[in-house]
Amino acid sequence: MRAYIGRQQAVSVEDFAELALGTPVELWLGVEGETDEERAAREDAARDILADNPNMPDDLVRMAAQVIEENPDLFDILPLTRLAWRRRAARKGVAA
Protein backbone atom coordinates (compact mmCIF):
# COMPACT_ATOMS: atom_id res chain seq x y z
CA MET A 1 0.00 0.00 0.00
CA ARG A 2 1.32 3.44 -0.89
CA ALA A 3 0.48 6.70 0.82
CA TYR A 4 0.78 10.07 -0.86
CA ILE A 5 0.54 13.61 0.41
CA GLY A 6 0.04 15.75 -2.66
CA ARG A 7 2.36 14.27 -5.27
CA GLN A 8 4.93 13.04 -2.76
CA GLN A 9 5.00 9.46 -1.53
CA ALA A 10 5.41 9.06 2.22
CA VAL A 11 7.06 5.82 3.29
CA SER A 12 8.07 6.62 6.86
CA VAL A 13 6.90 8.58 9.87
CA GLU A 14 9.57 11.16 9.10
CA ASP A 15 8.25 11.51 5.52
CA PHE A 16 4.71 12.13 6.79
CA ALA A 17 5.95 14.72 9.26
CA GLU A 18 8.14 16.53 6.72
CA LEU A 19 5.43 16.59 4.08
CA ALA A 20 2.85 17.82 6.58
CA LEU A 21 5.16 20.52 7.88
CA GLY A 22 6.46 21.57 4.50
CA THR A 23 9.88 21.80 6.12
CA PRO A 24 12.43 19.30 7.36
CA VAL A 25 11.57 17.88 10.79
CA GLU A 26 15.03 18.91 11.99
CA LEU A 27 14.02 22.57 11.69
CA TRP A 28 11.55 22.05 14.55
CA LEU A 29 13.32 19.35 16.57
CA GLY A 30 16.93 20.34 16.07
CA VAL A 31 19.85 18.08 15.36
CA GLU A 32 22.18 16.36 17.74
CA GLY A 33 25.39 18.27 18.29
CA GLU A 34 24.21 21.59 16.89
CA THR A 35 26.03 24.64 18.19
CA ASP A 36 24.34 27.46 20.09
CA GLU A 37 24.61 29.61 16.95
CA GLU A 38 23.07 26.89 14.77
CA ARG A 39 20.24 26.42 17.25
CA ALA A 40 19.61 30.18 17.40
CA ALA A 41 19.52 30.40 13.57
CA ARG A 42 17.20 27.37 13.34
CA GLU A 43 14.84 28.77 15.97
CA ASP A 44 14.88 32.18 14.25
CA ALA A 45 13.94 30.55 10.94
CA ALA A 46 11.14 28.61 12.65
CA ARG A 47 9.81 31.82 14.23
CA ASP A 48 9.83 33.52 10.81
CA ILE A 49 7.89 30.62 9.28
CA LEU A 50 5.31 30.74 12.08
CA ALA A 51 5.03 34.54 11.80
CA ASP A 52 4.36 34.22 8.06
CA ASN A 53 1.89 31.35 8.61
CA PRO A 54 -0.03 32.00 11.85
CA ASN A 55 -2.53 29.21 11.10
CA MET A 56 0.21 26.65 10.52
CA PRO A 57 0.01 24.92 13.94
CA ASP A 58 -3.76 24.40 13.67
CA ASP A 59 -3.52 23.28 10.05
CA LEU A 60 -0.77 20.79 10.92
CA VAL A 61 -2.75 19.28 13.78
CA ARG A 62 -5.73 18.79 11.45
CA MET A 63 -3.53 17.22 8.75
CA ALA A 64 -1.79 14.92 11.22
CA ALA A 65 -5.11 13.77 12.65
CA GLN A 66 -6.40 13.05 9.16
CA VAL A 67 -3.29 11.07 8.19
CA ILE A 68 -3.45 9.04 11.41
CA GLU A 69 -7.16 8.37 10.97
CA GLU A 70 -6.77 7.31 7.33
CA ASN A 71 -3.54 5.31 7.83
CA PRO A 72 -3.39 3.96 11.39
CA ASP A 73 -1.21 1.03 10.36
CA LEU A 74 1.35 3.27 8.63
CA PHE A 75 1.67 5.98 11.21
CA ASP A 76 3.44 4.85 14.36
CA ILE A 77 4.30 8.13 16.09
CA LEU A 78 6.07 6.46 19.02
CA PRO A 79 9.54 6.28 17.35
CA LEU A 80 9.34 9.97 16.39
CA THR A 81 8.24 10.88 19.91
CA ARG A 82 11.12 8.88 21.42
CA LEU A 83 13.58 10.57 19.06
CA ALA A 84 12.32 14.03 20.02
CA TRP A 85 12.47 13.12 23.73
CA ARG A 86 16.06 11.86 23.42
CA ARG A 87 17.14 15.00 21.57
CA ARG A 88 15.48 17.24 24.13
CA ALA A 89 17.05 15.31 27.01
CA ALA A 90 20.48 15.41 25.36
CA ARG A 91 20.26 19.20 24.95
CA LYS A 92 19.44 19.48 28.65
CA GLY A 93 22.20 17.06 29.63
CA VAL A 94 19.80 14.44 31.01
CA ALA A 95 20.15 10.72 30.27
CA ALA A 96 17.18 9.51 28.20
Side-chain angles (χ1 to χ4, degrees), residues 7-70:
R7 295 181 181 186
Q8 298 291 320
Q9 182 179 6
V11 294
S12 69
V13 173
E14 291 80 10
D15 288 346
F16 278 109
E18 186 168 333
L19 290 168
L21 291 169
T23 62
V25 176
E26 293 80 14
L27 175 67
W28 307 99
L29 299 178
V31 293
E32 196 169 326
E34 71 183 352
T35 66
D36 289 342
E37 293 83 14
E38 290 169 332
R39 185 180 67 245
R42 177 181 54 76
E43 290 174 348
D44 190 43
R47 275 191 291 277
D48 287 346
I49 289 169
L50 290 173
D52 290 343
N53 303 289
N55 294 327
M56 185 179 188
D58 293 336
D59 294 343
L60 292 173
V61 169
R62 274 192 293 281
M63 283 190 285
Q66 182 179 355
V67 168
I68 292 168
E69 185 176 317
E70 292 174 0

